[in-house]
Amino acid sequence: MKALKKIFLFTVVTALVALSLSACGGKTADNGAETPENVKPKLKIAIVQPMSHTSLDQIRDTIISELEASGLNTEIETLNANGDTSALATILQNVKSKGVDIVIPIATPTAQSAKSVFDGDGTPIVFAAVSNPVAAGLTGEDCKDITGVSNNIPSDEIVKLISNFQPDYKKIGFLYTSSETNSVATIAAAKAYCDENGIAYEESSIASLTELQAAVNSLLSKGVDALYTGNDNSIASAMPTYTDAAYAKKIPVYCGADSMVADGGFATIGVNYVQLGKQVAAMVEKVAAGTSPAEMPYETLAEYAKFVNLQAADKIGFALTDQMLEGFSVLVEKDGTSHFGQ
Amino acid sequence: MLLSALGQGAIYAPMALGVFIAFRILNTPDLTIDGSFVFGMTVCAMVTVAGHPIAAVFAGTAAGMIAGLVTGILQTTLQINAILSGILTMTGLYTINYMVLGGQANLYLQSMQTNETGVEVPVASQTIYKMMASVFGSGEISALVLSAIIVVVVSIILCIFFKTRPGMAIRATGDNEEMVRSSSINADRSRTFGIMLANSLVGLSGAMLCQQQRYADLGSGNGMLVVGLASVIIGQALFGKRGVTIGVVSAVVGSVIYRIILQGAYQIDMPSYMVKLLSALIVTIALVMPLTKEKMNTMRIRRAGEKEAYK
């Protein structure tokens, strides 16, 4: 009896704390005016991301703005596990119990958790930024309600990018975080391509950001002419550390995302997250119009983003010719003005 | 809604029990947990993909036990500080886990099989949760029942074990190692065995999660120790510090309540980045509860005393 009383007390106190915190602001993006003739039920959409960082946030924001512009009467809820993977299932189960029409999980583990939580109950799942949907188990017989947009980058494009700016390069240095599925997959494919075509490379993987500087320096000491990192969430959050170490030795840092170039990387052929978000939003609109996900195979990016950072080029003493810059957009000007997100 | 929180709570309950054994019974801060959780998960994933879902759960448990053995040896034979031993094992396990998954960070429970037309297609592996669903109908209830059965069985075994001789030796080692050493019990062996027991439960928890969510991911162990500690502390705030049997029950209940609170936190309209702060506050409240109770008791006694004095 005593224990019951305690449980009650405890729950009340916690609820009070939670309520006082919730006063810090809501999170539902609402559109569609509440007018009497607006009787069509709102389409409930939940966007779930595993953590916050530039590219994931960019995907989320693009999806929201595209859907708002589409004129669909939607109620979009955005949720974030803040890096606590054990909370992903909790968040998704909440979404399920509240009732939702379309779920948009961002990144591989989120999409996999969404699959296991919704377990083929017919709720359409449109994933974003899963680099290998087949390996992630999102394309099998039991995935009729699942589709989405993969963010895979062809390896030959990466090598083309490097030879465009450094025609006489000898050796590439690959750097990635070993726990990031997307990043590892990109590098593994790039290494296979290099092996096939006789291109020399060195690789270094880190388990946490504390090892970043040492890993960069070890690659530089092995005489690489160029560094490449795919869309690696962890390294993306520490670009200044990465580029400072590399540019001190006049070695360029090529990367897999435009956000990474905005944060100091030299050039990218990569995922255009705005484009990715637009493709996801377009798929969601199709689902909303009644197309079944089963009729839509997952998509890859329709166009890649090619960006260059002139400030970084200055730091490494590259003189860029017009021929090199063909097809590239300048993301950061010589004086550091950034056009990112415009 | 409550069902899913109960289901999650049951899956993480063995992990909370492991934390309880390490921190409360053995009085050892064991940081192996973040690593052994994932180790149980990855080993379970590989055995599940090979087609043995039931054996996979035991394999995951055994994996956790091996992790515990390593930490135990570091602590006792090599005389390395307890916290550092756990950190060393956890760090080393990262590489081991990576290798177990075949050099990747994420593995979905499926295998490539040739279908009738001769094409290689991915086929989802059988799991204990799917078996349960095929017998008792699909859904969260069958998953919850299965997890609950595992947790109850494990709890009963633990309660009985801690009443036996070797179990008593582990408890005594945690209570007063000097005394144990002087009474000719091998304290090192008891300590190692206790850490193995704790981590085997953590490995079991990782294996259960792996089969329930149908994938293994290297990031799954992040912050696991904090979750376990929060569960143990919440349980203790409710049941108080009493015998081992009550302790086992309180760890399980704490795990479930932690999940219910977390679910509630994501349920109400607050930005999801606030949840971290909320969980920190919850643990703080749970930690302060016994103290406030004591304070209130002393106040009551003092007031009664004053009344007596002025009579």
Side-chain angles (χ1 to χ4, degrees):
Chain A
M1 223 53 260
K2 231 175 156 180
L4 271 180
K5 209 159 136 190
K6 277 193 200 161
I7 291 177
F8 175 73
L9 231 164
F10 188 73
T11 321
V12 167
V13 173
T14 326
L16 281 175
V17 171
L19 283 174
S20 63
L21 283 178
S22 70
C24 301
K27 57 175 175 184
T28 336
D30 223 345
N31 67 334
E34 289 288 348
T35 48
E37 63 265 23
N38 200 350
V39 283
K40 212 176 149 195
K42 281 195 167 149
L43 193 69
K44 282 188 175 165
I45 297 177
I47 305 177
V48 185
Q49 62 187 104
M51 59 176 120
S52 271
H53 76 74
T54 325
S55 15
L56 296 183
D57 296 351
Q58 214 182 353
I59 296 172
R60 181 197 62 205
D61 296 340
T62 310
I63 294 172
I64 294 173
S65 60
E66 286 289 311
L67 287 176
E68 285 179 351
S70 72
L72 279 174
N73 183 15
T74 55
E75 184 183 323
I76 305 171
E77 188 175 24
T78 57
L79 293 145
N80 187 335
N82 310 305
D84 175 7
T85 39
S86 80
L88 277 178
T90 306
I91 290 173
L92 285 156
Q93 270 158 347
N94 260 348
V95 166
K96 184 182 178 181
S97 63
K98 277 189 195 172
V100 64
D101 298 313
I102 300 171
V103 184
I104 306 176
I106 302 178
T108 306
T110 323
Q112 289 171 319
S113 289
K115 180 185 168 180
S116 72
V117 167
F118 286 89
D119 203 14
D121 73 347
T123 310
I125 296 172
V126 183
F127 61 75
V130 172
S131 59
N132 191 341
V134 178
L138 299 168
T139 55
E141 283 294 300
D142 53 350
C143 300
K144 290 191 170 44
D145 311 317
I146 305 175
T147 184
V149 183
S150 158
N151 56 345
N152 196 23
I153 308 219
S155 309
D156 55 333
E157 295 285 351
I158 294 170
V159 176
K160 266 191 222 154
L161 166 78
I162 296 174
S163 56
N164 173 50
F165 289 104
Q166 296 170 282
D168 48 1
Y169 79 96
K170 304 257 180 319
K171 203 192 256 185
I172 309 173
F174 293 117
L175 180 66
Y176 57 98
T177 306
S178 54
S179 60
E180 294 214 19
T181 325
N182 290 351
S183 182
V184 174
T186 308
I187 300 290
K191 287 193 313 198
Y193 180 85
C194 288
D195 288 334
E196 275 168 37
N197 295 281
I199 299 164
Y201 64 85
E202 294 286 347
E203 62 170 309
S204 182
S205 69
I206 59 172
S208 76
L209 283 178
T210 48
E211 302 160 28
L212 179 61
Q213 201 153 3
V216 175
N217 287 329
S218 105
L219 282 173
L220 293 173
S221 69
K222 289 174 182 162
V224 300
D225 317 298
L227 286 161
Y228 177 80
T229 296
N231 57 56
D232 189 305
N233 295 335
S234 170
I235 294 177
S237 66
M239 285 307 283
T241 311
Y242 188 5
T243 54
D244 283 354
Y247 297 166
K249 294 274 191 304
K250 305 285 182 209
I251 299 295
V253 171
Y254 298 93
C255 32
D258 53 352
S259 62
M260 292 163 84
V261 171
D263 293 337
F266 166 61
T268 177
I269 163 120
V271 181
N272 177 337
Y273 288 102
V274 172
Q275 171 69 22
L276 198 152
K278 280 182 180 165
Q279 281 178 247
V280 172
M283 280 187 141
V284 170
E285 284 166 42
K286 275 188 198 156
V287 172
T291 316
S292 148
E295 298 161 34
M296 295 192 277
Y298 78 86
E299 295 177 3
T300 49
L301 284 171
E303 54 178 80
Y304 298 102
K306 287 177 160 185
F307 289 108
V308 66
N309 179 335
L310 296 182
Q311 196 184 26
D314 250 14
K315 283 182 186 166
I316 47 183
F318 273 23
L320 302 177
T321 62
D322 287 348
Q323 191 193 344
M324 283 179 186
L325 289 173
E326 199 179 322
F328 280 82
S329 325
V330 172
L331 192 64
V332 181
E333 300 284 357
K334 267 199 171 77
D335 59 4
T337 317
S338 174
H339 304 298
F340 183 64
Q342 292 166 9
Chain B
M1 179 66 235
L2 188 64
L3 268 186
S4 64
L6 288 171
Q8 290 277 309
I11 283 177
Y12 290 103
M15 194 267 304
L17 283 170
V19 173
F20 169 76
I21 292 170
F23 280 73
R24 284 277 168 262
I25 297 185
L26 271 175
N27 278 324
T28 310
D30 184 12
L31 303 187
T32 318
I33 281 136
D34 282 14
S36 53
F37 186 83
V38 186
F39 194 31
M41 183 182 257
T42 54
V43 169
C44 172
M46 293 320 280
V47 181
T48 309
V49 168
H52 312 288
I54 297 177
V57 176
F58 289 99
T61 313
M65 197 178 277
I66 293 167
L69 175 65
V70 173
T71 304
I73 290 173
L74 290 176
Q75 271 192 35
T76 55
T77 317
L78 303 177
Q79 296 284 313
I80 298 173
N81 162 301
I83 293 183
L84 197 54
S85 303
I87 292 176
L88 289 171
T89 313
M90 181 182 85
T91 311
L93 274 175
Y94 182 88
T95 306
I96 306 281
N97 286 326
Y98 199 73
M99 278 160 39
V100 170
L101 287 187
Q104 51 192 11
N106 179 295
L107 180 80
Y108 192 76
L109 300 182
Q110 63 184 13
S111 51
M112 298 308 271
Q113 283 166 16
T114 317
N115 66 0
E116 55 273 14
T117 53
V119 186
E120 287 258 308
V121 286
V123 176
S125 311
Q126 181 68 288
T127 68
I128 52 171
Y129 287 94
K130 279 189 197 164
M131 291 167 157
M132 189 80 182
S134 64
V135 178
F136 297 95
S138 175
E140 283 173 350
I141 297 184
S142 71
L144 170 60
V145 169
L146 179 56
S147 302
I149 291 171
I150 296 175
V151 172
V152 169
V153 169
V154 166
S155 302
I156 291 172
I157 293 174
L158 273 185
C159 291
I160 295 171
F161 171 75
F162 280 117
K163 301 261 188 297
T164 62
R165 218 169 225 293
M168 288 284 195
I170 291 176
R171 285 162 65 185
T173 308
D175 287 337
N176 188 342
E177 197 159 342
E178 293 301 311
M179 188 196 79
V180 168
R181 281 185 199 285
S182 61
S183 64
S184 77
I185 298 173
N186 187 332
D188 282 354
R189 196 183 300 162
S190 299
R191 175 171 292 279
T192 308
F193 192 67
I195 296 170
M196 283 168 75
L197 181 65
N199 282 289
S200 66
L201 292 167
V202 176
L204 167 66
S205 199
M208 285 162 73
L209 180 65
C210 169
Q211 296 224 349
Q212 190 265 334
Q213 65 180 16
R214 288 179 239 152
Y215 70 92
D217 193 282
L218 286 193
S220 305
N222 298 348
M224 215 26 80
L225 178 63
V226 181
V227 173
L229 274 177
S231 308
V232 169
I233 288 162
I234 289 170
Q236 201 181 295
L238 298 174
F239 290 87
K241 266 191 182 176
R242 276 182 281 182
V244 171
T245 310
I246 299 281
V248 166
V249 175
S250 74
V252 172
V253 173
S255 172
V256 172
I257 292 191
Y258 178 82
R259 288 289 147 190
I260 293 174
I261 293 171
L262 197 68
Q263 190 121 37
Y266 280 110
Q267 190 78 2
I268 50 177
D269 258 1
M270 70 177 190
S272 43
Y273 56 81
M274 296 297 287
V275 174
K276 290 263 189 212
L277 181 60
L278 179 72
S279 38
L281 281 169
I282 290 167
V283 174
T284 313
I285 293 168
L287 280 170
V288 174
M289 265 173 76
L291 182 75
T292 42
K293 225 173 61 189
E294 217 169 281
K295 277 242 161 75
M296 278 163 85
N297 276 345
T298 21
M299 293 267 284
R300 206 174 299 138
I301 292 164
R302 193 176 293 165
R303 274 208 210 101
E306 280 169 1
K307 268 186 192 156
E308 283 294 315
Y310 288 120
K311 258 181 190 170

